[in-house]
Amino acid sequence: MTAAPGIGTDTGLAPALADDLAAAALALARRFAAGATLWCLAPAWAPHAQHVAVEFVHPVVVGARALPAVALVDRDLVGTARLSVRSGDVVLAVADAADREIRDITRRAPAWGATTIWIGHGERPPAGAADHVLWHDDPDPALPATGGFVLLYHLLWELTHVCFEHPGLLTVDGDCTDEVCVTCSDEGRVVEVIEQRGVSSALVRTPDGQEEVAVDLVGAVARDDLLLVHAGMALRVLGEGDS
């Protein structure tokens, strides 16, 4: 991991966490370069969401870019995020692994086309719960009030700007450009139900917009259900325990 200016090697971060930070910063920089907005959530610790947003919107380092970031602190975070997040955006959560709202949002993010970053401590979220997990394993309930979380998102902010100093990193190689891609066409996708239409189809939200899918195999569906879809056919309804 390349150190940002002012960041030494005495931060106390475990090597694995340092690697996770570097990967998250690169993904975040690429999303910002493509026009993303960063949506910051911390249901139990709203000041952390506000602090993260301020870091990205109001850079204090000369020459650093102001980046679009918004703190969501509404009571209905899932509903607000659904209305706010657009395909290509990033959702950053500061919460413990048991936070039901964050777990619900991160499992819906693939249908919204959003990248997810989860900062927390103690017991870790299930594998695959977020695209990037930046975690303190310390279960001390006082940790959110210390500088542990602040250090993580300050480092994330600084490393994101380090990535901007190397424009070649901001281009993702290997994107599929063929009209028909065998690999992509064989992939199961997560979509979110907008409404059922008739007996055998439903209108759903996907990263590419709205589309209709067949629901013959799963039967009746409800608004906001998550479906696993392949080749235009819903294979099953995803439950809370599905990553």
Side-chain angles (χ1 to χ4, degrees):
M1 180 178 70
T2 304
I7 299 176
T9 58
D10 57 348
T11 60
L13 295 182
L17 179 52
D19 290 343
D20 291 341
L21 266 167
L26 178 57
L28 185 54
R30 286 174 169 172
R31 287 286 190 163
F32 275 132
T37 295
L38 176 66
W39 301 95
C40 309
L41 302 82
W45 311 305
H48 281 303
Q50 295 161 339
H51 192 166
V52 176
V54 167
E55 288 298 325
F56 282 89
V57 173
H58 300 291
V60 296
V61 177
V62 175
R65 296 173 54 177
L67 298 167
V70 180
L72 295 181
V73 294
D74 302 64
R75 290 186 178 181
D76 179 11
L77 277 182
V78 178
T80 302
R82 179 182 289 113
L83 291 174
S84 304
V85 177
R86 294 293 178 264
S87 184
D89 285 351
V90 179
V91 174
L92 185 151
V94 183
D96 62 38
D99 193 296
R100 294 181 64 88
E101 285 185 298
I102 297 305
R103 290 175 69 129
D104 198 15
I105 288 171
T106 58
R107 63 192 287 268
R108 294 178 184 280
W112 301 346
T115 296
T116 49
I117 301 173
W118 195 339
I119 296 174
H121 78 112
E123 183 180 351
R124 289 175 173 262
D131 296 306
H132 301 277
V133 174
L134 308 178
W135 217 255
H136 285 293
D137 293 316
D138 186 351
D140 185 351
L143 189 144
T146 70
F149 287 170
V150 176
L151 173 63
L152 286 182
Y153 52 72
H154 273 233
L155 287 170
L156 180 65
W157 173 81
E158 293 200 44
L159 289 172
T160 298
H161 282 284
V162 169
C163 294
F164 280 128
E165 295 173 3
H166 303 276
L169 293 176
L170 305 181
T171 301
V172 181
D173 295 327
D175 287 342
C176 178
T177 57
D178 294 337
E179 184 175 348
V180 177
C181 174
V182 174
T183 301
C184 299
S185 65
D186 195 41
E187 189 174 284
R189 299 179 296 141
V190 176
V191 304
E192 186 179 56
V193 175
I194 298 173
E195 64 179 12
Q196 181 150 0
R197 290 187 166 178
V199 176
S200 61
S201 69
L203 182 68
V204 300
R205 177 178 179 179
T206 80
D208 298 322
Q210 298 181 3
E211 63 181 67
E212 286 198 31
V213 298
V215 294
D216 304 78
L217 297 181
V218 299
V221 295
R223 182 179 180 86
D224 300 336
D225 277 351
L226 292 179
L227 307 177
L228 181 66
V229 171
H230 168 70
M233 174 73 71
L235 303 181
R236 65 188 178 102
V237 179
L238 299 176
E240 289 188 9
D242 295 308
S243 297

